[in-house]
Amino acid sequence: MSEAVGGCTRPRPTVTEAEVEALVHGICFKTGPPARLGVEVEWLIHEPREPRLPVTDERLDAVYSALRTAPLNSPLTVEPGGQLELSSLPAASLMECVDTVAADLDAVRAVLREEDLALVGLGHDPWRSPRRFLRRPRYDAMEACLDRTGPAGRFMMCATASVQVCLDAGHEEPGPLGHVRRWWLAHQLGAVLLAAFANSPLSGGRPTGWRSTRQLRWTQIGTGRAGGPPLDADPRRAWARHVLDAPVMCVRRDQGRWDVPEGMTFREWTRTRSPRPPTREDLDYHLTTLFPPVRPRGHLELRMIDAQPGDDGWIVPLAVTAALFDDQEASETAYRAVKPLAERTSGRPAPHNPLYRDAARDALTDPELRDVAGVCFTAALAALPRLGASTGVTDAVAAFLDRYVARGRCPADDLLDTYDGTGHGPHGRETRP
């Protein structure tokens, strides 16, 4: 591989298996005192009066052209199906993160109103079939790769949205804020967050039998692409092995379609050096094609939370997660509360284990998940004033605790309550696969 620089061509340095392992160790877990927080909020874009109708590419092009001139502090990106994503810059406090993203969302909604469109907080489009908006080599290759495991990949790419909370990896030393504890907690508490914030029970206008159909789609993609590593080893070593043994999604080309190898892992690529030797840039790209529920990117990216209803629903999972990880007392409470849940994983990595299956399907109708969620949300609520949360944020968390967690419900249950086969009126019986 080579690249042109100043009219000349220089070789791109290739990487060996040992170099990949060393690079992953250095890239993916950067330790230190928890001090930064971030959130990535994804939204579906709908026609307010006719949400079942697809939004044309022309209208989406017009919206995103207008948004490119909007004064936003958070980077805005477009997902393959036209979903909108705002990714906050690392914030020094919960309220800095909340205030910055809320202001950006106000600016985004003002632009969308001019185009007679709206942001919708749902984890999975309830009505529309997946349809790709972006036509780029990356997404062509991703679609071809994911199609090998069935239709779930297209739904994931084009019909889902989430709230992703980003946390510092934690201290190098052991303890409640140490990186080993936080890595373990992210996976076990992740099942509780998945259950409490499940908000995607419909697809194709009908109940799927899962309160988080979005998580179902991720699980269906398979362990290599959307699974995590075992939790019985040092996080750095476990993640490095996972990266090396994960299938390569594509081999990029400067021109034309990208190759989509079948079954070739990154480890095999470093050994065979075919169809060409892998480079550092290939490794960086490979890391972006892995979608575990907790992705280490220097920080920890929690990816199991569905997009939430309402303009400000995203604030509750952000606040709860920040409190349970960055307040030492709340973190210790959460650790003790979720520890018994580990037995339900059967020793299998998330999300391909019984605990995540039950959380996605049954949410807080599962008695144990409901009880653990109650303990964790109560601890988070007590911790929020210590993190400098505003009255509005603490009130929103308290309201969610009372409306959903205390009653063994989640936002998906509200959608099921209104289902009658058309999306309006009382719901019929929920089906099970």
Side-chain angles (χ1 to χ4, degrees), residues 117-409:
L117 293 171
L119 300 178
V120 178
L122 290 166
H124 191 286
D125 196 303
W127 306 289
R128 302 180 300 189
S129 298
R131 183 177 62 89
R132 193 142 63 90
F133 168 63
L134 295 182
R135 297 290 171 181
R136 296 176 183 170
R138 169 182 171 89
Y139 298 120
D140 292 343
M142 181 182 291
E143 184 176 277
C145 176
L146 296 179
D147 277 351
R148 291 170 179 160
T149 58
R154 294 196 182 203
F155 278 99
M156 177 277 288
M157 291 173 64
C158 302
T160 63
S162 67
V163 176
Q164 298 174 19
V165 181
C166 300
L167 305 155
D168 281 334
H171 291 283
E172 190 69 29
E173 300 78 13
L177 301 183
H179 77 284
V180 175
R181 169 78 70 88
R182 285 163 74 88
W183 174 249
W184 185 92
L185 181 62
H187 287 85
Q188 308 302 344
L189 180 61
V192 180
L193 299 173
L194 165 61
F197 296 112
N199 186 38
S200 52
L202 305 175
S203 179
R206 300 181 61 83
T208 63
W210 296 71
R211 285 172 172 81
S212 179
T213 303
R214 173 183 169 274
Q215 183 59 59
L216 171 65
R217 302 299 188 202
W218 282 111
T219 304
Q220 290 171 330
I221 288 170
T223 58
R225 186 69 52 206
L231 297 181
D232 58 357
D234 173 76
R236 290 188 178 95
R237 289 199 305 270
W239 181 246
R241 284 198 302 268
H242 185 76
V243 168
L244 279 163
D245 292 331
V248 173
M249 177 174 284
C250 57
V251 177
R252 297 173 297 164
R253 295 174 177 268
D254 293 332
Q255 295 180 340
R257 292 179 61 86
W258 295 357
D259 291 335
V260 183
E262 186 163 9
M264 182 179 74
T265 68
F266 206 91
R267 189 186 304 276
E268 291 168 337
W269 194 6
T270 64
R271 292 176 177 179
T272 64
R273 323 294 277 177
S274 176
R276 60 168 174 77
T279 67
R280 168 65 188 272
E281 289 77 15
D282 290 320
L283 172 61
D284 292 341
Y285 183 82
H286 177 62
L287 291 169
T288 72
T289 69
L290 304 180
F291 309 110
V294 182
R295 185 161 65 176
R297 303 179 62 192
H299 56 272
L300 302 182
E301 181 183 84
L302 277 64
R303 303 173 51 84
M304 72 290 294
I305 301 170
D306 281 354
Q308 295 297 288
D311 288 353
D312 300 323
W314 58 275
I315 294 175
V316 176
L318 171 64
V320 169
T321 306
L324 294 177
F325 278 85
D326 291 346
D327 180 87
Q328 187 164 337
E329 181 179 338
S331 183
E332 186 64 29
T333 298
Y335 174 74
R336 291 196 302 267
V338 303
K339 203 169 183 180
L341 294 177
E343 296 181 3
R344 293 177 58 175
T345 67
S346 299
R348 294 159 57 188
H352 299 89
N353 63 44
L355 175 62
Y356 268 69
R357 178 201 63 208
D358 295 345
R361 186 186 61 199
D362 302 328
L364 297 188
T365 64
D366 181 294
E368 187 176 24
L369 285 170
R370 173 183 176 174
D371 291 346
V372 173
V375 172
C376 291
F377 273 71
T378 300
L381 188 60
L384 284 172
R386 298 193 290 268
L387 295 181
S390 68
T391 300
V393 170
T394 56
D395 286 350
V397 172
F400 192 97
L401 173 59
D402 179 64
R403 178 175 179 177
Y404 295 115
V405 178
R407 302 179 187 185
R409 291 175 60 87

